[in-house]
Amino acid sequence: MTINKNEMRAAQYNNYGSPDVFYEGYIAIPLVKPGEVLIRVHGTSVNSMDTMFRAGKLKILTGQKFPKGTGADFAGEVAELGVM
């Protein structure tokens, strides 16, 4: 799949399960609103909460709508500022 300039890569899953449910997907780059920043991610990790969400142990919080993404822990650079 060729990525276009309006998309970014995202770690996603379409159902709860083991780490094997992850795949590399593509989502639209979000529009940056006032007071927000867009980060160009250089590295990410999976923490224990990500693991529980992916396994379906906290469905009451995450719901049944898919695909879902992961990766709240990351490092990168500011790519865009939402000016107030």
Side-chain angles (χ1 to χ4, degrees), residues 4-78:
N4 74 47
K5 68 178 185 169
N6 298 321
E7 293 181 321
M8 63 184 191
R9 297 182 319 168
Q12 296 183 295
Y13 54 101
N14 285 327
N15 54 282
Y16 296 116
S18 71
D20 295 336
V21 300
F22 279 120
Y23 66 93
E24 180 181 351
Y26 296 88
I27 61 174
I29 295 174
L31 297 174
V32 182
K33 298 175 185 164
E36 296 180 342
V37 296
L38 180 65
I39 305 294
R40 182 173 293 111
V41 176
H42 294 286
T44 187
S45 67
V46 176
N47 65 40
S48 59
M49 289 299 288
D50 293 326
T51 302
M52 288 191 283
F53 289 150
R54 187 248 321 131
K57 293 181 179 178
L58 298 170
K59 291 178 188 176
I60 194 149
L61 297 175
T62 60
Q64 296 291 329
K65 186 176 177 185
F66 292 97
K68 295 187 183 303
T70 191
D73 299 331
F74 58 88
E77 63 183 294
V78 174

